[in-house]
C-alpha cells in the first residue's frame, strides 16, 4: 500500500482509467456472448413437461398394442412381449422418473400398462430356466427374462413418489415378490 502511495498521482489516475476502460469495454462483449449462447442452446433442448408425458403415453400405447388381452382371463390369446420391447419400456419409465413427472401421466394409461405388465409376469409363472426342471429351457428363458424386466418396470412405476394409491394392487405386488 505504501508503495502505491509513493507513485505519482497522475500515474495512478491513468492506471485506474486504463483498468476501468478495459473492464467496461469487455463487459458488453461477454454479455452478448452469454445472451446469444443461452438463447440459441437452451430453447430447443429443454422439452416441455406435457410433451414428455405425451411421448411417454405414445410409447405405452405402442407397447400395450403389441399384446392382445383376452376378456376371459385364461391367457389363451395372450402374446408375450419380446424382451427388447420390455427393456425399451423400462428405459422410458426411467427417463420420465428422472424428470420427476411420472405421477403426472394419466391414471388410465398407467393402469393399462400395469395390467399388461401383470399379464406378462403371470404368463411366465411356473417356468424355469434350469435344465433339470424344464427340458424346454430355450423357449422358457426369454419369457422368464421378459417377466423379470416387467417386474422392474412395475416396481419403477409403483415406487415413484405421489403415485395414486389405486395402482398398488396386492396381486401384482405378490406376483412380483413371488409370494403366491
Amino acid at each position: 500500500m505504501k508503495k502505491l502511495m509513493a507513485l505519482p498521482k497522475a500515474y495512478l489516475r491513468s492506471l485506474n482509467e486504463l483498468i476501468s476502460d478495459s473492464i467496461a469495454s469487455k463487459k458488453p462483449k461477454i454479455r452478448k456472448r452469454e445472451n446469444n449462447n443461452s438463447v440459441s442452446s437452451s430453447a430447443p433442448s429443454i422439452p416441455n413437461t406435457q410433451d414428455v408425458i405425451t411421448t411417454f403415453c405414445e410409447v405405452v400405447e405402442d407397447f400395450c398394442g403389441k399384446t392382445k388381452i383376452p376378456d376371459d382371463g385364461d391367457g389363451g390369446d395372450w402374446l408375450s412381449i419380446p424382451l427388447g420391447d420390455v427393456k425399451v419400456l423400462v428405459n422410458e419409465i426411467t427417463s420420465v422418473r428422472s424428470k420427476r413427472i411420472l405421477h403426472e401421466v394419466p391414471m388410465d394409461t398407467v393402469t393399462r400398462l400395469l395390467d399388461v405388465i401383470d399379464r406378462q409376469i403371470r404368463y411366465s409363472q411356473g417356468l424355469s430356466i434350469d435344465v433339470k426342471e424344464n427340458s424346454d429351457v430355450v423357449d422358457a428363458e426369454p419369457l422368464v427374462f421378459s417377466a423379470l424386466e416387467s417386474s422392474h418396470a412395475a416396481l419403477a412405476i409403483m415406487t415413484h413418489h405421489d403415485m395414486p394409491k389405486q395402482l398398488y394392487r396386492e396381486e401384482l405386488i405378490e406376483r412380483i415378490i413371488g409370494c403366491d
Side-chain angles (χ1 to χ4, degrees):
M1 185 74 167
K2 288 182 181 180
K3 288 182 181 181
L4 287 176
M5 297 296 245
L7 294 173
K9 290 183 181 183
Y11 178 74
L12 288 176
R13 257 185 268 140
S14 65
L15 184 61
N16 191 21
E17 289 173 9
L18 179 64
I19 292 172
S20 64
D21 287 345
S22 67
I23 291 172
S25 66
K26 289 182 182 180
K27 282 186 179 179
K29 290 179 183 176
I30 292 172
R31 286 184 186 151
K32 285 182 181 177
R33 285 184 196 151
E34 287 176 1
N35 288 342
N36 289 342
N37 288 340
S38 65
V39 169
S40 64
S41 65
S42 66
S45 66
I46 300 175
N48 183 351
T49 300
Q50 193 57 42
D51 292 342
V52 172
I53 291 172
T54 302
T55 303
F56 179 73
C57 288
E58 290 170 0
V59 169
V60 169
E61 289 304 316
D62 181 51
F63 180 81
C64 293
K66 293 179 182 182
T67 65
K68 240 179 19 176
I69 300 177
D71 294 332
D72 59 6
D74 67 358
D77 293 336
W78 175 254
L79 298 175
S80 178
I81 302 168
L83 178 60
D85 292 342
V86 180
K87 285 184 176 186
V88 168
L89 176 71
V90 170
N91 288 338
E92 287 295 321
I93 293 169
T94 304
S95 174
V96 175
R97 263 183 68 110
S98 69
K99 292 174 178 65
R100 301 184 187 275
I101 57 173
L102 188 59
H103 62 281
E104 295 179 23
V105 174
M107 176 72 169
D108 60 327
T109 302
V110 178
T111 302
R112 182 170 181 223
L113 177 60
L114 286 175
D115 288 342
V116 170
I117 288 172
D118 183 32
R119 182 60 70 128
Q120 185 75 14
I121 295 167
R122 200 174 334 154
Y123 190 67
S124 68
Q125 277 184 318
L127 296 178
S128 173
I129 56 173
D130 187 7
V131 177
K132 294 175 186 173
E133 293 179 28
N134 187 5
S135 62
D136 201 10
V137 171
V138 176
D139 292 336
E141 189 173 284
L143 297 174
V144 171
F145 286 130
S146 183
L148 288 171
E149 282 295 321
S150 296
S151 297
H152 181 194
L155 289 171
I157 291 169
M158 292 189 295
T159 58
H160 184 69
H161 67 89
D162 294 333
M163 294 303 284
K165 301 298 181 210
Q166 299 86 346
L167 296 178
Y168 302 101
R169 294 181 302 206
E170 189 174 335
E171 304 84 29
L172 175 58
I173 294 170
E174 287 178 353
R175 213 175 323 282
I176 289 171
I177 60 175
C179 292
D180 56 338

